[in-house]
Amino acid sequence: MKVLVIGGNGRVGSLLVDKLAAQYQVVAGSRSPKPEKNLDNIEHSHIDLLSDIDTIAKSMKDVDVVYFVSGSRGKNLLQIDLHGAIKSMQAAEKVGVKRYIMLSSIFALQPERWKESFLSDLTDYNIAKHYADLYLTTQTQLDYTILQPGALKEEQGTGKIETNVVNPGSNSIANVVDTLVAILENHSTIGKVILMHDGDTPIIEALHQIK
Amino acid sequence: MKVLVIGGNGRVGSLLVDKLAAQYQVVAGSRSPKPEKNLDNIEHSHIDLLSDIDTIAKSMKDVDVVYFVSGSRGKNLLQIDLHGAIKSMQAAEKVGVKRYIMLSSIFALQPERWKESFLSDLTDYNIAKHYADLYLTTQTQLDYTILQPGALKEEQGTGKIETNVVNPGSNSIANVVDTLVAILENHSTIGKVILMHDGDTPIIEALHQIK
């Protein structure tokens, strides 16, 4: 199986590429690929989310799964986090990739909660993620899963999380990455929006508990 | 009939309010209403598109038609032109207003044409208008009409335009305003996206030609 990670150079993406490479053929897609990391089962592909759908689609040749873990960190929300994300969905549909796993943000689909906690400073970001998630769930036929963690932290992973969460909580990047990997292996996550934070439940079990 | 103009203080909105007031009861909604313009059939309402749906809905009491002609002029595209617009749609649906007339921009629903002509400098704006128009056409049950002129100019109106246009062309603000008024009177425009520029066809006739 061949897996494309869009945003493969980011702090989530680079770890995700490494973890996925233990089991799959991985394409690390980013605007500035790092060719020095060329391993047998990791290839690099130039993906510029500012380019058009057909150009983005070229990186999806023979790909079975697309992960979207890219982001502009607030620098180009309209063109990258919103429209760039949606162009990658349209590219996936165009070339016939069915499985699409999106890293989103907690409450991205619940605007009524955007004034809570750390989210109150992130309204522009939430709007971009909101309409990307909304497009994925309503305007595509993709087999999507949307993962919505709260704040990401550079902490050691514990392998334990909670799903179905009702309040924001912090997330080690390693736990988020392990959850993204586990989502691919659990078909029951297809069509689901998963709210998560670090917790006490082993990741696989937490995914089985999704409502 | 009572008509709400969101963005009633703008360069399109203020003229639209005056023209509509010749026939209808008008509510001019804006963040900073101009009470000096209080006439018998023009009332002013404070509308802040940064506020929540219920707050926006308060300005729609007894309203039959909503016009959206607001815009941040590039200053707050995510919160005003995109999310603010969509909150106004959701507010209209919540209070039972059916008719919603949106002033958009040429090719807002055709990203493949955003590199043409003056649009190449407006990608962020186009993205915001795109997802607002897309939401209106796919996610609401509103009786919408979307008007998509090209560049707006402060010129005298001629009362003559073209619809079904395939290339961008300039538009006098007065012609756009007269077209917005005529849309309300022509029920055949419901559910339509109208691309226009100044031309040689009387407005009513041009609206009857819409494909």
Side-chain angles (χ1 to χ4, degrees):
Chain A
M1 192 156 71
K2 196 164 171 181
V3 180
L4 168 65
V5 178
I6 298 177
N9 262 359
R11 54 186 192 150
V12 172
S14 55
L15 188 56
L16 179 60
V17 165
D18 289 345
K19 293 263 186 172
L20 288 168
Q23 301 173 69
Y24 310 108
Q25 201 59 34
V26 182
V27 183
S30 68
R31 197 135 64 131
S32 42
K34 287 180 186 155
E36 73 273 17
K37 241 176 112 189
N38 256 328
L39 302 174
D40 266 0
N41 52 346
I42 302 180
E43 58 185 285
H44 294 270
S45 179
H46 174 80
I47 295 190
D48 182 352
L49 291 168
L50 302 183
S51 60
D52 62 22
I53 297 168
D54 288 331
T55 307
I56 294 169
K58 283 181 192 155
S59 297
M60 296 184 183
K61 193 172 179 304
D62 301 324
V63 160
D64 304 289
V65 182
V66 171
Y67 280 93
F68 188 94
V69 298
S70 187
S72 71
R73 293 189 164 224
K75 292 194 190 102
N76 201 350
L77 292 167
L78 280 154
Q79 297 197 38
I80 298 294
D81 305 65
L82 173 56
H83 194 52
I86 290 172
K87 283 188 289 186
S88 79
M89 299 169 201
Q90 294 167 329
E93 293 209 290
K94 202 155 183 176
V95 299
V97 178
K98 282 299 286 177
R99 190 77 169 107
Y100 188 101
I101 299 169
M102 165 63 93
L103 178 60
S104 181
S105 176
I106 195 148
F107 301 146
L109 285 168
Q110 290 147 272
E112 68 278 10
R113 302 205 60 178
W114 292 352
K115 287 195 174 142
E116 293 177 31
S117 173
F118 71 101
L119 292 171
S120 60
D121 295 329
L122 297 175
T123 304
D124 279 348
Y125 175 70
N126 283 323
I127 292 171
K129 296 303 282 182
H130 177 72
Y131 290 103
D133 285 4
L134 191 68
Y135 190 96
L136 182 54
T137 58
T138 65
Q139 302 290 309
T140 76
Q141 302 299 316
L142 294 165
D143 287 341
Y144 68 81
T145 303
I146 298 175
L147 185 64
Q148 296 185 338
L152 303 187
K153 304 225 163 145
E154 315 260 358
E155 286 169 4
Q156 197 124 15
T158 59
K160 293 181 176 177
I161 63 167
E162 305 300 333
T163 53
N164 308 313
V165 303
V166 293
N167 286 305
S170 77
N171 301 261
S172 86
I173 288 177
N175 279 351
V176 169
V177 165
D178 287 341
T179 306
L180 286 168
V181 173
I183 282 170
L184 176 51
E185 291 152 6
N186 283 270
H187 290 276
S188 64
T189 62
I190 291 174
K192 296 278 167 57
V193 179
I194 303 170
L195 284 72
M196 74 168 279
H197 56 54
D198 287 342
D200 300 317
T201 311
I203 288 170
I204 302 290
E205 200 180 319
L207 288 182
H208 287 153
Q209 292 171 355
I210 295 163
K211 284 166 191 159
Chain B
M1 192 155 72
K2 197 165 172 180
V3 180
L4 169 65
V5 177
I6 298 177
N9 263 358
R11 54 185 193 151
V12 172
S14 56
L15 187 56
L16 179 62
V17 165
D18 289 345
K19 292 264 186 171
L20 289 168
Q23 303 173 67
Y24 309 109
Q25 201 59 33
V26 181
V27 184
S30 68
R31 196 135 66 132
S32 42
K34 287 181 185 155
E36 73 270 20
K37 238 176 116 189
N38 256 327
L39 302 173
D40 266 2
N41 51 346
I42 301 179
E43 60 184 283
H44 293 270
S45 180
H46 175 80
I47 294 189
D48 183 352
L49 291 169
L50 302 182
S51 61
D52 63 22
I53 297 168
D54 288 331
T55 307
I56 294 169
K58 282 180 192 157
S59 296
M60 297 184 182
K61 195 172 179 302
D62 302 323
V63 160
D64 303 288
V65 182
V66 171
Y67 279 94
F68 187 94
V69 297
S70 187
S72 71
R73 293 191 164 222
K75 291 193 190 102
N76 201 350
L77 291 168
L78 280 154
Q79 298 196 37
I80 299 294
D81 304 66
L82 172 57
H83 195 51
I86 290 173
K87 283 188 289 187
S88 79
M89 299 168 200
Q90 294 167 328
E93 293 210 290
K94 202 157 183 175
V95 300
V97 178
K98 282 298 286 177
R99 190 77 169 107
Y100 188 102
I101 299 169
M102 164 63 91
L103 178 60
S104 182
S105 177
I106 193 148
F107 301 143
L109 285 168
Q110 290 147 270
E112 67 278 10
R113 302 205 58 178
W114 292 352
K115 288 197 174 140
E116 293 177 31
S117 173
F118 72 101
L119 293 170
S120 60
D121 294 329
L122 297 175
T123 304
D124 279 348
Y125 175 71
N126 283 324
I127 292 170
K129 296 304 282 181
H130 176 72
Y131 290 103
D133 285 4
L134 190 68
Y135 190 95
L136 182 55
T137 58
T138 64
Q139 303 290 308
T140 76
Q141 302 299 316
L142 294 165
D143 287 341
Y144 67 82
T145 303
I146 298 176
L147 185 63
Q148 296 186 338
L152 304 186
K153 304 225 162 145
E154 314 261 357
E155 287 168 3
Q156 197 123 14
T158 59
K160 293 182 178 176
I161 64 167
E162 306 300 334
T163 53
N164 308 315
V165 303
V166 292
N167 286 305
S170 77
N171 301 262
S172 85
I173 289 177
N175 280 352
V176 169
V177 165
D178 287 340
T179 306
L180 287 167
V181 174
I183 282 170
L184 177 50
E185 292 152 5
N186 283 270
H187 290 276
S188 63
T189 62
I190 291 174
K192 296 277 165 60
V193 179
I194 303 170
L195 284 73
M196 74 170 278
H197 55 53
D198 288 342
D200 300 317
T201 311
I203 288 171
I204 302 291
E205 200 179 318
L207 287 182
H208 286 155
Q209 292 171 355
I210 295 164
K211 283 167 193 159

